[in-house]
Amino acid sequence: MNRFTIPRDIYFGENALDVLKTLEGTKAALVIGGSSVKKNGNLDKIQQLLSEANIETKVIDGITTEPTTQMVKKGVRILNDFQPDWVIGIGGGSVMDAAKAMWLFYEHPELTFEEATRPFSLPRLRTRAKFVGIPTTSGSASEISNLSVITDAETGVKYPLADFELTPDMAIIDPIMVQSMPKHVTAYSGMDAITHSIEAYVAKPRTIFTDSLAIEAAQVLKENLLASYHGDAKAREQVHDAQAMAGMAFANAVLGNVHSLSHKSGPIFNIPHGCANAIYLPYVIQFNRTVVEERYAAIAKRLGLNGENNKELVDSLIAWIRDLNNKMNIPNTLQEYGVSEETFTAHVDEMAANAVKDPCTSTNPRETSVEEMKKLYIAAFYGLDVNF
């Protein structure tokens, strides 16, 4: 039996934020990152709309890096004092992930972080509050997904919390929230969305539902991401919708080794998640093509890339990703990003061992050993072709 779960309500397009006026409740905690959502006036607009629904608000800010267990605990203390019946994440993936984790431990204070990291084993939520996701970047699709990625403050290791209970009750995908995105954020989050669409299309639990969303999202992203990067407002709205479609796909088909590699190396090398995905994606495609070449070829064909056969089509897909990275000033190797050989060598064994344990590895289309994961890291560091 298969399952397909997305938020009960998804509001998108111009003025989607207006739905906040219809929420029923008394208090809403607004989890945000830094000051951008304040400076551009969007936080004021959201608070005004909620006040029209007679909902009191409290802002929890400071999620300016990828979230840690310490940040989550601090937020939970504020939630316990405020006692909201809505938790609203307003930001990029890190903010939304932090908000979801705060919501989880607000609902279940007895739960330990170790227990929460066991995939699809969370207790029921929504006994104290419901969740709304409002993205300010176009990539993570955390407003759609059943995931929350949190870094263990003590070990520095990233853990995905995965359970359908974490699926938001409502997603609001309003283009006004992303019109002031900086170019590098547009690039990194856009490559995150492309990675989601490609990994979901080849993941083991894929279905006809996830396939249709993944491949359409990939096409919309190909047609619009570069224009969005250069500031085209209409293209930016298209990318904002497409990343949510990719989110619906991966939330149900899950992901693969690109995310496993990123989760375990990002915090160590201080690489933003979307940038890490952009680096690793071509190498993982090379690794996986031995078992799902026809799937990658189907994506390439849908994107209108050149190739007379599956091999040529997949080669074109890899070349297109690397060319897109170049055009958006994203490095294609860890070394190019600035990771030193000394630092890489010191951590690669640990990263490989941890990446194999990542939940995304279990849904990668090709089985992966610790030694193979290490070889993938080495290939991505030096820019070597994957032929193992």
Side-chain angles (χ1 to χ4, degrees):
M1 180 173 68
N2 297 314
R3 176 174 178 173
F4 185 84
T5 302
I6 58 175
R8 183 181 184 277
D9 293 299
I10 300 172
Y11 295 89
F12 60 99
E14 191 176 354
N15 298 319
L17 285 175
D18 285 354
V19 72
L20 291 170
K21 295 187 291 187
T22 69
L23 292 192
E24 296 180 358
T26 58
K27 293 181 178 181
L30 312 181
V31 183
I32 67 171
S35 58
S36 60
V37 75
K38 296 177 182 177
K39 288 179 180 176
N40 62 25
N42 286 332
L43 180 62
D44 285 342
K45 181 174 183 177
I46 288 167
Q47 288 181 301
Q48 176 58 38
L49 290 166
L50 289 168
S51 73
E52 292 181 43
N54 296 314
I55 293 177
E56 179 186 354
T57 59
K58 185 173 187 65
V59 174
I60 301 174
D61 59 8
I63 313 298
T64 56
T65 62
E66 294 185 350
T68 66
T69 49
Q70 287 179 336
M71 292 180 191
V72 171
K73 289 175 182 177
K74 180 180 177 182
V76 171
R77 287 195 292 269
I78 296 171
L79 292 180
N80 284 331
D81 289 340
F82 186 55
Q83 295 286 306
D85 38 26
W86 288 97
V87 176
I88 303 179
I90 308 165
S94 293
V95 172
M96 211 89 67
D97 286 359
K100 285 182 184 176
M102 291 173 194
W103 174 44
L104 168 63
F105 290 105
Y106 170 59
E107 293 260 348
H108 293 283
E110 77 289 351
L111 200 66
T112 67
F113 182 64
E114 183 182 0
E115 290 169 337
T117 61
R118 295 170 190 159
F120 298 94
S121 63
L122 293 181
R124 291 273 184 180
L125 300 183
R126 297 166 181 81
T127 57
R128 303 181 75 182
K130 292 182 179 180
F131 190 92
V132 179
I134 306 176
T136 62
T137 62
S138 301
S140 76
S142 192
E143 77 282 359
I144 297 288
S145 78
N146 49 34
L147 296 173
S148 168
V149 181
I150 306 296
T151 301
D152 188 319
E154 295 181 5
T155 65
V157 175
K158 254 187 197 183
Y159 291 100
L161 313 183
D163 196 286
F164 288 115
E165 285 296 314
L166 288 174
T167 304
D169 297 278
M170 180 185 295
I172 303 176
I173 304 164
D174 194 316
I176 196 174
M177 302 299 294
V178 294
Q179 288 305 325
S180 61
M181 255 198 311
K183 289 184 81 168
H184 73 283
V185 176
T186 304
Y188 295 167
S189 59
M191 291 308 297
D192 193 18
I194 285 175
T195 304
H196 291 158
S197 64
I198 293 175
E199 286 212 289
Y201 195 74
V202 301
K204 287 178 184 174
R206 62 186 184 262
T207 66
I208 190 171
F209 284 21
T210 61
D211 280 355
S212 60
L213 286 160
I215 203 161
E216 179 70 14
Q219 181 174 346
V220 175
L221 289 163
K222 179 182 182 291
E223 292 170 352
N224 292 278
L225 179 55
L226 205 54
S228 174
Y229 175 74
H230 290 295
D232 183 280
K234 185 61 181 174
R236 191 158 289 196
E237 181 175 355
Q238 291 288 301
V239 169
H240 204 38
D241 290 345
Q243 64 86 29
M245 293 164 59
M248 294 177 213
F250 89 75
N252 292 277
V254 201
L255 295 163
N257 281 356
V258 177
H259 276 75
S260 302
L261 293 163
S262 295
H263 288 156
K264 306 315 178 192
S265 62
I268 292 172
F269 299 144
N270 196 29
I271 306 176
H273 176 69
C275 181
N277 282 348
I279 293 171
Y280 291 127
L281 181 56
Y283 303 99
V284 173
I285 292 174
Q286 287 182 325
F287 177 75
N288 287 337
R289 69 186 301 173
T290 59
V291 294
V292 285
E293 187 163 64
E294 76 287 350
R295 301 288 296 178
Y296 289 130
I299 297 172
K301 193 175 291 185
R302 177 66 177 267
L303 299 186
L305 302 178
N306 294 327
E308 297 297 321
N309 52 51
N310 285 350
K311 180 185 182 304
E312 291 180 3
L313 285 163
V314 178
D315 287 345
S316 291
L317 180 63
I318 293 167
W320 170 68
I321 293 164
R322 287 179 167 152
D323 182 60
L324 193 55
N325 283 347
N326 290 333
K327 287 176 176 174
M328 296 193 297
N329 201 30
I330 297 175
N332 279 301
T333 71
L334 295 174
Q335 204 166 32
E336 190 183 336
Y337 180 79
V339 179
S340 72
E341 192 167 37
E342 181 182 5
T343 301
F344 176 77
T345 303
H347 292 285
V348 65
D349 287 323
E350 174 194 7
M351 293 188 310
N354 286 331
V356 167
K357 298 174 189 173
D358 191 280
C360 294
T361 304
S362 65
T363 52
N364 189 71
R366 180 179 168 184
E367 296 297 320
T368 313
S369 68
V370 175
E371 185 59 29
E372 287 168 331
M373 198 69 82
K374 180 178 178 180
K375 287 181 178 180
L376 282 170
Y377 275 124
I378 292 169
F381 182 79
Y382 292 106
L384 307 174
D385 281 335
V386 175
N387 51 20
F388 51 86

